[in-house]
Amino acid sequence: METYKVKTCFTITFTDEQYTRARYYVEDMKRHPNRIFWRGKEGKSDDELIIEQIAHRILSGFYHDDPMAASKHIMRMDSSVQLK
């Protein structure tokens, strides 16, 4: 099976409530430094971690019951593929 590397940039919207929830989540993760959450996140600022958490939840569908509702949060997506 061939694999490809894709770099995608999303422009998203989020609410103050979503930001606060993500901030609490990151603060909780700081109390658990050995969790898998931290893999690949070394050196990132709190703001970066919070925004990543919001984006993850939007893209994974955690913020809505309707799978098509993500389109309300995703304003733009740009992608590029690197072929081997």
Side-chain angles (χ1 to χ4, degrees):
M1 180 171 119
E2 288 191 53
T3 59
Y4 300 92
K5 183 176 182 177
V6 178
K7 184 173 184 171
T8 304
C9 178
F10 292 92
T11 301
I12 61 172
T13 63
F14 54 89
T15 65
D16 289 337
E17 180 182 335
Q18 290 168 324
Y19 182 88
T20 299
R21 183 176 177 182
R23 184 171 48 85
Y24 287 144
Y25 183 83
V26 169
E27 288 171 2
D28 182 54
M29 285 297 107
K30 286 181 177 181
R31 293 189 283 273
H32 307 283
N34 295 323
R35 288 197 176 159
I36 196 164
F37 170 84
W38 293 108
R39 285 195 182 167
K41 293 181 173 64
E42 299 83 4
K44 292 191 176 182
S45 71
D46 285 358
D47 282 336
E48 287 175 300
L49 295 170
I50 291 166
I51 297 303
E52 282 184 6
Q53 181 62 21
I54 292 169
H56 169 75
R57 294 182 73 81
I58 287 171
L59 296 172
S60 298
F62 287 111
Y63 282 137
H64 43 76
D65 297 331
D66 176 10
M68 300 306 289
S71 64
K72 295 176 186 172
H73 296 285
I74 301 169
M75 306 305 297
R76 180 185 171 117
M77 180 180 77
D78 297 312
S79 299
S80 63
V81 177
Q82 259 186 335
L83 300 176
K84 294 178 187 180

Coordinates of all heavy atoms in Angstrom, one line a residue:
M1 N 0.8 -1.2 0.0 CA 0.0 0.0 0.0 C 0.9 1.2 0.0 O 1.8 1.4 0.8 CB -0.9 0.0 1.2 CG -1.8 1.2 1.3 SD -3.0 1.0 2.7 CE -2.6 2.3 3.7
E2 N 0.7 2.1 -1.0 CA 1.4 3.4 -1.0 C 0.8 4.4 -0.1 O -0.4 4.4 0.2 CB 1.4 3.9 -2.4 CG 2.3 3.1 -3.4 CD 2.4 3.9 -4.7 OE1 2.8 5.1 -4.7 OE2 2.1 3.3 -5.7
T3 N 1.7 5.2 0.5 CA 1.2 6.3 1.3 C 1.7 7.6 0.8 O 2.7 7.7 0.0 CB 1.7 6.2 2.8 OG1 3.2 6.2 2.8 CG2 1.2 4.9 3.4
Y4 N 1.0 8.7 1.0 CA 1.3 10.0 0.6 C 1.3 11.0 1.7 O 0.6 10.7 2.7 CB 0.3 10.5 -0.5 CG 0.2 9.6 -1.7 CD1 -0.7 8.5 -1.7 CD2 1.1 9.8 -2.7 CE1 -0.7 7.7 -2.8 CE2 1.0 8.9 -3.9 CZ 0.1 7.9 -3.9 OH 0.1 7.1 -5.0
K5 N 2.1 12.0 1.6 CA 2.1 13.0 2.6 C 1.2 14.2 2.2 O 1.4 14.7 1.1 CB 3.5 13.5 2.9 CG 3.7 14.5 4.0 CD 5.1 14.9 4.2 CE 5.3 15.9 5.3 NZ 6.7 16.2 5.6
V6 N 0.3 14.6 3.0 CA -0.7 15.6 2.6 C -0.6 16.7 3.7 O -0.7 16.4 4.9 CB -2.1 15.1 2.5 CG1 -3.1 16.3 2.3 CG2 -2.2 14.1 1.5
K7 N -0.3 17.9 3.3 CA -0.3 19.0 4.3 C -1.6 19.8 4.0 O -1.9 20.2 2.9 CB 0.9 19.9 4.1 CG 0.9 21.0 5.1 CD 2.2 21.8 5.0 CE 2.3 22.8 6.1 NZ 3.6 23.4 6.2
T8 N -2.4 19.9 5.1 CA -3.7 20.6 4.9 C -3.8 21.7 5.9 O -3.5 21.6 7.1 CB -4.9 19.6 5.1 OG1 -4.7 18.5 4.2 CG2 -6.2 20.3 4.9
C9 N -4.3 22.9 5.5 CA -4.5 24.0 6.4 C -6.0 24.3 6.4 O -6.7 24.5 5.4 CB -3.8 25.2 5.8 SG -4.0 26.7 6.8
F10 N -6.6 24.3 7.6 CA -8.0 24.6 7.8 C -8.2 26.0 8.4 O -7.4 26.4 9.3 CB -8.6 23.6 8.8 CG -8.7 22.2 8.2 CD1 -7.7 21.3 8.5 CD2 -9.8 21.9 7.5 CE1 -7.8 20.0 8.0 CE2 -9.9 20.6 7.0 CZ -8.9 19.7 7.2
T11 N -9.2 26.7 8.0 CA -9.6 28.0 8.6 C -10.9 27.6 9.3 O -11.9 27.2 8.7 CB -9.8 29.1 7.6 OG1 -8.6 29.3 6.9 CG2 -10.2 30.4 8.3
I12 N -10.9 27.7 10.6 CA -12.1 27.3 11.4 C -12.6 28.5 12.2 O -11.9 29.4 12.5 CB -11.8 26.1 12.3 CG1 -10.7 26.5 13.3 CG2 -11.4 24.9 11.5 CD1 -10.4 25.4 14.4
T13 N -13.9 28.3 12.7 CA -14.5 29.2 13.6 C -14.8 28.4 14.9 O -15.0 27.2 14.8 CB -15.8 29.9 13.1 OG1 -16.7 28.8 12.9 CG2 -15.5 30.6 11.8
F14 N -14.7 29.1 16.0 CA -15.1 28.4 17.3 C -15.7 29.5 18.3 O -15.4 30.7 18.1 CB -13.9 27.7 17.9 CG -12.7 28.5 18.1 CD1 -12.5 29.2 19.3 CD2 -11.7 28.7 17.1 CE1 -11.3 30.0 19.4 CE2 -10.6 29.4 17.2 CZ -10.4 30.1 18.4
T15 N -16.4 29.0 19.3 CA -17.0 29.8 20.2 C -16.1 30.0 21.5 O -15.1 29.3 21.7 CB -18.3 29.2 20.7 OG1 -18.1 28.0 21.4 CG2 -19.3 28.9 19.5
D16 N -16.5 31.0 22.3 CA -15.8 31.2 23.5 C -15.9 30.0 24.4 O -14.9 29.6 25.1 CB -16.3 32.4 24.3 CG -16.0 33.7 23.6 OD1 -15.0 33.8 22.9 OD2 -16.7 34.7 23.9
E17 N -17.0 29.3 24.4 CA -17.2 28.1 25.2 C -16.3 27.0 24.7 O -15.7 26.3 25.6 CB -18.7 27.7 25.1 CG -19.0 26.4 25.9 CD -20.5 26.0 25.7 OE1 -21.3 26.8 25.3 OE2 -20.7 24.8 25.9
Q18 N -16.2 26.8 23.4 CA -15.2 25.8 22.9 C -13.8 26.1 23.3 O -13.1 25.2 23.7 CB -15.4 25.7 21.4 CG -16.7 25.1 21.0 CD -17.0 25.2 19.5 OE1 -16.6 26.2 18.9 NE2 -17.6 24.3 18.9
Y19 N -13.4 27.4 23.3 CA -12.1 27.8 23.7 C -11.8 27.5 25.1 O -10.8 26.9 25.5 CB -11.8 29.3 23.4 CG -10.4 29.7 23.7 CD1 -9.4 29.6 22.8 CD2 -10.1 30.2 25.0 CE1 -8.1 30.0 23.1 CE2 -8.8 30.5 25.3 CZ -7.8 30.4 24.4 OH -6.5 30.8 24.7
T20 N -12.8 27.8 26.0 CA -12.7 27.6 27.4 C -12.6 26.1 27.7 O -11.7 25.7 28.5 CB -13.9 28.2 28.2 OG1 -13.9 29.6 27.9 CG2 -13.8 28.0 29.7
R21 N -13.4 25.3 27.1 CA -13.4 23.9 27.3 C -12.0 23.3 26.9 O -11.5 22.5 27.6 CB -14.5 23.2 26.5 CG -14.6 21.7 26.7 CD -15.8 21.2 25.9 NE -15.8 19.7 26.0 CZ -16.7 19.0 25.5 NH1 -17.7 19.5 24.7 NH2 -16.7 17.7 25.6
A22 N -11.5 23.7 25.8 CA -10.2 23.2 25.3 C -9.1 23.7 26.2 O -8.1 22.9 26.5 CB -9.9 23.7 23.9
R23 N -9.2 24.9 26.7 CA -8.2 25.4 27.7 C -8.2 24.6 29.0 O -7.1 24.2 29.5 CB -8.4 26.9 28.0 CG -7.4 27.5 29.0 CD -7.5 29.0 29.1 NE -8.9 29.4 29.4 CZ -9.4 29.5 30.7 NH1 -8.7 29.1 31.7 NH2 -10.6 29.9 30.8
Y24 N -9.3 24.2 29.5 CA -9.4 23.4 30.7 C -8.8 22.0 30.4 O -8.2 21.4 31.2 CB -10.9 23.2 31.2 CG -11.4 24.4 31.8 CD1 -12.7 24.8 31.7 CD2 -10.6 25.3 32.6 CE1 -13.3 25.9 32.3 CE2 -11.1 26.4 33.2 CZ -12.5 26.7 33.1 OH -13.0 27.8 33.7
Y25 N -9.1 21.5 29.2 CA -8.5 20.2 28.8 C -7.0 20.2 28.8 O -6.4 19.3 29.3 CB -9.1 19.8 27.4 CG -8.6 18.4 27.0 CD1 -9.3 17.3 27.4 CD2 -7.5 18.2 26.1 CE1 -8.9 16.0 27.0 CE2 -7.1 17.0 25.7 CZ -7.8 15.9 26.2 OH -7.4 14.6 25.8
V26 N -6.4 21.2 28.2 CA -5.0 21.3 28.1 C -4.4 21.5 29.6 O -3.4 20.9 29.9 CB -4.5 22.5 27.2 CG1 -3.1 22.8 27.4 CG2 -4.9 22.2 25.8
E27 N -5.1 22.3 30.4 CA -4.6 22.4 31.8 C -4.7 21.1 32.5 O -3.7 20.8 33.3 CB -5.5 23.5 32.5 CG -5.2 24.9 32.1 CD -6.2 25.9 32.6 OE1 -7.1 25.5 33.4 OE2 -6.1 27.1 32.3
D28 N -5.7 20.3 32.3 CA -5.8 19.0 32.9 C -4.7 18.1 32.4 O -4.1 17.3 33.1 CB -7.1 18.3 32.6 CG -7.3 17.0 33.2 OD1 -7.1 16.9 34.5 OD2 -7.6 16.0 32.5
M29 N -4.4 18.1 31.1 CA -3.3 17.3 30.5 C -1.9 17.6 31.1 O -1.1 16.8 31.2 CB -3.3 17.4 29.0 CG -4.4 16.7 28.3 SD -4.3 14.9 28.5 CE -5.7 14.7 29.6
K30 N -1.7 18.9 31.5 CA -0.5 19.3 32.1 C -0.2 18.5 33.4 O 0.9 18.3 33.8 CB -0.4 20.8 32.4 CG -0.3 21.6 31.1 CD -0.2 23.1 31.5 CE 0.0 23.9 30.3 NZ 0.1 25.4 30.7
R31 N -1.3 18.1 34.0 CA -1.2 17.3 35.3 C -0.8 15.8 35.0 O -0.6 15.1 36.0 CB -2.4 17.4 36.1 CG -2.7 18.9 36.6 CD -3.8 18.9 37.6 NE -5.1 18.9 37.0 CZ -5.8 19.9 36.6 NH1 -5.3 21.1 36.7 NH2 -7.0 19.8 36.0
H32 N -0.8 15.5 33.8 CA -0.6 14.1 33.4 C 0.5 14.0 32.2 O 0.1 13.7 31.1 CB -1.9 13.4 32.9 CG -3.0 13.5 33.9 ND1 -3.1 12.8 35.0 CD2 -4.0 14.4 33.9 CE1 -4.1 13.1 35.7 NE2 -4.8 14.1 35.1
P33 N 1.7 14.3 32.5 CA 2.8 14.5 31.5 C 3.1 13.2 30.8 O 3.7 13.2 29.7 CB 4.0 15.0 32.3 CG 3.7 14.6 33.7 CD 2.2 14.6 33.9
N34 N 2.7 12.0 31.2 CA 3.0 10.8 30.6 C 1.9 10.3 29.6 O 2.1 9.2 29.0 CB 3.3 9.7 31.6 CG 4.6 10.0 32.4 OD1 5.5 10.6 31.8 ND2 4.6 9.7 33.7
R35 N 0.9 11.0 29.5 CA -0.2 10.6 28.6 C 0.2 10.7 27.1 O 1.0 11.6 26.7 CB -1.5 11.4 28.8 CG -2.1 11.0 30.2 CD -3.5 11.5 30.2 NE -4.1 11.0 31.5 CZ -5.2 11.5 32.0 NH1 -5.8 12.6 31.5 NH2 -5.7 11.0 33.1
I36 N -0.5 9.9 26.3 CA -0.2 9.9 24.9 C -0.5 11.3 24.2 O 0.1 11.6 23.2 CB -0.9 8.8 24.1 CG1 -0.4 8.5 22.8 CG2 -2.4 9.1 24.1 CD1 -0.8 7.2 22.2
F37 N -1.3 12.1 24.8 CA -1.7 13.4 24.4 C -0.4 14.2 24.0 O -0.4 15.0 23.1 CB -2.4 14.2 25.5 CG -2.6 15.6 25.2 CD1 -3.7 16.1 24.4 CD2 -1.8 16.6 25.8 CE1 -3.9 17.4 24.2 CE2 -2.0 17.9 25.5 CZ -3.0 18.4 24.7
W38 N 0.7 14.0 24.8 CA 1.9 14.8 24.6 C 2.8 14.4 23.5 O 3.7 15.1 23.2 CB 2.7 14.8 26.0 CG 1.9 15.6 27.0 CD1 1.2 15.0 28.1 CD2 1.6 17.0 27.0 NE1 0.5 16.0 28.8 CE2 0.8 17.2 28.2 CE3 1.9 18.0 26.3 CZ2 0.3 18.5 28.5 CZ3 1.5 19.3 26.6 CH2 0.7 19.5 27.7
R39 N 2.6 13.3 22.9 CA 3.4 12.8 21.8 C 3.4 13.8 20.6 O 2.3 14.2 20.1 CB 3.0 11.5 21.3 CG 3.4 10.4 22.2 CD 3.4 9.1 21.5 NE 3.7 8.0 22.4 CZ 3.5 6.7 22.2 NH1 2.9 6.3 21.1 NH2 3.9 5.8 23.1
G40 N 4.5 14.4 20.3 CA 4.7 15.3 19.2 C 4.3 16.7 19.5 O 4.2 17.6 18.6
K41 N 4.0 17.0 20.8 CA 3.6 18.3 21.2 C 4.7 19.1 22.0 O 4.4 20.1 22.5 CB 2.3 18.2 22.0 CG 1.1 17.8 21.1 CD -0.1 17.7 22.0 CE -1.3 17.4 21.1 NZ -1.4 16.1 20.5
E42 N 5.9 18.5 22.1 CA 7.0 19.2 22.8 C 7.2 20.6 22.3 O 7.3 20.8 21.1 CB 8.2 18.3 22.8 CG 8.1 16.9 23.3 CD 7.5 15.9 22.3 OE1 7.3 16.2 21.2 OE2 7.3 14.8 22.8
G43 N 7.4 21.5 23.2 CA 7.7 22.9 22.9 C 6.6 23.7 22.4 O 6.8 24.9 22.0
K44 N 5.4 23.2 22.3 CA 4.3 24.0 21.8 C 3.7 24.9 22.9 O 3.7 24.5 24.1 CB 3.1 23.1 21.3 CG 3.6 22.5 20.0 CD 2.4 21.8 19.3 CE 2.9 21.2 18.0 NZ 1.8 20.6 17.3
S45 N 3.2 26.1 22.6 CA 2.7 27.0 23.6 C 1.3 26.5 23.9 O 0.6 25.7 23.3 CB 2.6 28.4 23.0 OG 1.6 28.5 22.0
D46 N 0.8 27.1 25.1 CA -0.6 26.7 25.5 C -1.6 27.1 24.4 O -2.5 26.3 24.1 CB -1.0 27.5 26.8 CG -0.3 26.9 28.0 OD1 0.4 25.9 27.9 OD2 -0.5 27.4 29.1
D47 N -1.4 28.3 23.8 CA -2.4 28.7 22.7 C -2.4 27.7 21.6 O -3.4 27.4 21.0 CB -2.1 30.1 22.2 CG -2.6 31.2 23.2 OD1 -3.5 30.9 23.9 OD2 -2.0 32.3 23.1
E48 N -1.2 27.2 21.2 CA -1.1 26.2 20.1 C -1.8 25.0 20.5 O -2.6 24.4 19.7 CB 0.3 25.9 19.8 CG 1.1 27.0 19.0 CD 2.5 26.6 18.8 OE1 3.3 26.5 19.9 OE2 3.0 26.6 17.7
L49 N -1.6 24.5 21.7 CA -2.3 23.3 22.2 C -3.8 23.4 22.2 O -4.5 22.5 21.9 CB -1.7 22.9 23.6 CG -0.3 22.5 23.6 CD1 0.2 22.4 25.0 CD2 0.0 21.2 22.8
I50 N -4.3 24.6 22.7 CA -5.7 24.9 22.8 C -6.3 24.9 21.4 O -7.4 24.2 21.2 CB -5.9 26.2 23.5 CG1 -5.6 26.0 25.0 CG2 -7.4 26.6 23.4 CD1 -5.5 27.3 25.8
I51 N -5.7 25.6 20.4 CA -6.3 25.6 19.1 C -6.2 24.3 18.4 O -7.2 23.8 17.8 CB -5.5 26.7 18.2 CG1 -5.7 28.1 18.8 CG2 -6.0 26.6 16.8 CD1 -7.1 28.5 19.0
E52 N -5.2 23.5 18.7 CA -5.1 22.1 18.1 C -6.2 21.3 18.7 O -6.8 20.5 18.0 CB -3.8 21.5 18.4 CG -2.6 21.9 17.6 CD -1.3 21.2 17.8 OE1 -1.3 20.2 18.6 OE2 -0.3 21.6 17.3
Q53 N -6.5 21.4 20.0 CA -7.6 20.6 20.6 C -8.9 21.0 20.0 O -9.8 20.2 19.7 CB -7.6 20.9 22.1 CG -8.6 20.1 22.9 CD -8.5 18.6 22.7 OE1 -7.4 18.1 22.4 NE2 -9.5 17.9 23.0
I54 N -9.2 22.3 19.8 CA -10.4 22.8 19.2 C -10.6 22.2 17.8 O -11.6 21.6 17.4 CB -10.5 24.3 19.1 CG1 -10.6 24.9 20.5 CG2 -11.7 24.8 18.2 CD1 -10.4 26.4 20.6
A55 N -9.5 22.3 17.0 CA -9.5 21.8 15.6 C -9.8 20.3 15.6 O -10.6 19.8 14.8 CB -8.2 22.1 14.9
H56 N -9.1 19.6 16.5 CA -9.3 18.1 16.6 C -10.7 17.8 16.8 O -11.3 16.9 16.2 CB -8.4 17.5 17.6 CG -8.7 16.1 18.0 ND1 -8.3 15.1 17.1 CD2 -9.3 15.6 19.0 CE1 -8.7 13.9 17.7 NE2 -9.4 14.2 18.8
R57 N -11.3 18.5 17.8 CA -12.7 18.2 18.2 C -13.7 18.5 17.0 O -14.6 17.8 16.8 CB -13.1 18.9 19.5 CG -12.3 18.3 20.6 CD -12.6 18.9 21.9 NE -13.9 18.5 22.4 CZ -14.2 17.4 23.1 NH1 -13.2 16.5 23.3 NH2 -15.4 17.1 23.5
I58 N -13.4 19.6 16.3 CA -14.3 20.0 15.2 C -14.2 18.9 14.1 O -15.2 18.4 13.6 CB -13.9 21.4 14.7 CG1 -14.4 22.4 15.7 CG2 -14.6 21.6 13.3 CD1 -13.9 23.9 15.3
L59 N -12.9 18.6 13.7 CA -12.7 17.7 12.6 C -13.2 16.3 12.9 O -13.5 15.5 12.1 CB -11.3 17.7 12.2 CG -10.8 19.0 11.6 CD1 -9.3 19.0 11.4 CD2 -11.5 19.4 10.3
S60 N -13.1 15.9 14.2 CA -13.5 14.5 14.7 C -15.0 14.4 14.9 O -15.5 13.3 15.2 CB -12.7 14.1 15.9 OG -11.4 14.1 15.7
G61 N -15.7 15.6 14.9 CA -17.2 15.5 15.1 C -17.6 15.5 16.6 O -18.8 15.3 16.8
F62 N -16.7 15.9 17.5 CA -17.1 15.9 18.9 C -18.1 17.0 19.3 O -18.8 16.9 20.3 CB -15.9 16.0 19.8 CG -15.0 14.8 19.9 CD1 -13.8 14.8 19.3 CD2 -15.5 13.6 20.5 CE1 -13.0 13.6 19.3 CE2 -14.7 12.5 20.6 CZ -13.5 12.5 20.0
Y63 N -18.1 18.0 18.5 CA -18.9 19.2 18.9 C -20.4 19.1 18.3 O -21.1 20.1 18.4 CB -18.3 20.5 18.4 CG -17.2 21.0 19.3 CD1 -16.0 21.4 18.8 CD2 -17.3 20.9 20.7 CE1 -15.0 21.9 19.6 CE2 -16.3 21.4 21.5 CZ -15.1 21.8 21.0 OH -14.1 22.3 21.8
H64 N -20.7 18.1 17.6 CA -22.0 18.0 17.0 C -22.5 16.6 16.8 O -21.7 15.7 16.7 CB -22.0 18.8 15.7 CG -20.8 18.5 14.8 ND1 -20.6 17.3 14.1 CD2 -19.7 19.2 14.6 CE1 -19.5 17.3 13.5 NE2 -18.9 18.5 13.8
D65 N -23.8 16.4 16.7 CA -24.3 15.1 16.4 C -24.5 14.8 14.9 O -24.6 13.7 14.5 CB -25.7 14.9 17.1 CG -25.6 15.0 18.6 OD1 -24.6 14.7 19.1 OD2 -26.6 15.5 19.2
D66 N -24.6 15.9 14.1 CA -24.8 15.8 12.7 C -23.4 15.9 12.0 O -22.7 16.9 12.1 CB -25.7 17.0 12.3 CG -25.8 17.0 10.7 OD1 -25.5 16.1 10.0 OD2 -26.4 18.1 10.3
P67 N -23.0 14.8 11.3 CA -21.7 14.8 10.6 C -21.5 16.0 9.7 O -20.3 16.4 9.5 CB -21.7 13.5 9.9 CG -22.8 12.7 10.3 CD -23.8 13.6 11.0
M68 N -22.5 16.5 9.1 CA -22.4 17.6 8.2 C -22.2 18.9 8.9 O -21.9 20.0 8.3 CB -23.6 17.7 7.2 CG -23.8 16.4 6.4 SD -22.3 15.9 5.5 CE -22.2 17.2 4.2
A69 N -22.4 19.0 10.2 CA -22.3 20.2 11.0 C -20.9 20.8 11.0 O -20.7 22.0 11.2 CB -22.8 20.0 12.4
A70 N -19.9 20.0 10.7 CA -18.5 20.5 10.7 C -18.3 21.6 9.7 O -17.5 22.5 9.9 CB -17.5 19.3 10.4
S71 N -19.1 21.5 8.6 CA -19.0 22.5 7.6 C -19.4 23.9 8.1 O -19.0 24.9 7.5 CB -19.9 22.2 6.4 OG -21.2 22.2 6.8
K72 N -20.1 24.0 9.2 CA -20.4 25.3 9.8 C -19.2 25.9 10.5 O -19.1 27.1 10.7 CB -21.5 25.1 10.9 CG -22.8 24.7 10.3 CD -23.9 24.5 11.4 CE -25.1 23.9 10.8 NZ -26.1 23.5 11.9
H73 N -18.2 25.1 10.9 CA -17.0 25.5 11.6 C -15.8 25.7 10.6 O -15.0 26.5 10.9 CB -16.6 24.6 12.7 CG -17.6 24.5 13.8 ND1 -17.8 25.4 14.7 CD2 -18.5 23.5 14.1 CE1 -18.7 25.1 15.6 NE2 -19.2 23.9 15.2
I74 N -15.8 24.8 9.6 CA -14.7 24.9 8.7 C -15.0 25.9 7.6 O -15.8 25.7 6.7 CB -14.4 23.5 8.1 CG1 -14.1 22.5 9.2 CG2 -13.3 23.5 7.0 CD1 -14.1 21.0 8.7
M75 N -14.2 27.0 7.6 CA -14.5 28.0 6.6 C -13.7 27.9 5.3 O -14.1 28.3 4.3 CB -14.1 29.4 7.3 CG -14.8 29.7 8.6 SD -16.6 29.6 8.6 CE -16.9 30.9 7.4
R76 N -12.5 27.2 5.4 CA -11.7 27.1 4.3 C -10.7 25.9 4.5 O -10.3 25.6 5.6 CB -10.9 28.3 4.0 CG -9.9 28.3 2.9 CD -9.1 29.6 2.8 NE -8.1 29.4 1.8 CZ -8.0 30.1 0.7 NH1 -8.9 31.1 0.5 NH2 -7.1 29.9 -0.2
M77 N -10.3 25.2 3.4 CA -9.3 24.1 3.5 C -8.5 24.2 2.3 O -8.9 24.2 1.2 CB -10.0 22.8 3.6 CG -9.0 21.6 3.7 SD -9.8 20.0 3.8 CE -10.2 19.8 2.1
D78 N -7.1 24.3 2.5 CA -6.1 24.2 1.4 C -5.3 23.0 1.7 O -4.8 22.8 2.8 CB -5.3 25.5 1.5 CG -6.1 26.7 1.2 OD1 -6.9 26.8 0.3 OD2 -5.9 27.7 2.0
S79 N -5.0 22.2 0.6 CA -4.2 21.0 0.8 C -3.2 20.9 -0.4 O -3.4 21.4 -1.5 CB -5.1 19.8 0.7 OG -6.1 19.8 1.7
S80 N -2.1 20.2 -0.1 CA -1.1 19.9 -1.1 C -0.6 18.5 -0.8 O -0.5 18.1 0.3 CB 0.0 20.9 -1.0 OG 0.7 20.8 0.2
V81 N -0.3 17.8 -1.9 CA 0.1 16.4 -1.8 C 1.5 16.3 -2.3 O 1.8 16.9 -3.4 CB -0.8 15.5 -2.6 CG1 -0.3 14.0 -2.5 CG2 -2.2 15.5 -2.1
Q82 N 2.4 15.7 -1.6 CA 3.8 15.4 -2.0 C 3.8 14.0 -2.6 O 3.7 13.0 -1.8 CB 4.8 15.5 -0.9 CG 5.5 16.8 -0.9 CD 6.6 16.8 0.3 OE1 6.5 16.0 1.2 NE2 7.6 17.6 0.1
L83 N 4.0 13.8 -3.9 CA 4.1 12.5 -4.4 C 5.5 12.0 -4.3 O 6.5 12.8 -4.4 CB 3.6 12.4 -5.8 CG 2.2 12.9 -6.1 CD1 1.8 12.9 -7.5 CD2 1.2 11.9 -5.3
K84 N 5.7 10.7 -4.2 CA 7.1 10.2 -4.0 C 7.9 10.4 -5.3 O 7.5 10.5 -6.4 CB 7.0 8.7 -3.7 CG 6.4 8.5 -2.4 CD 6.3 7.0 -2.1 CE 5.5 6.8 -0.8 NZ 5.3 5.4 -0.5

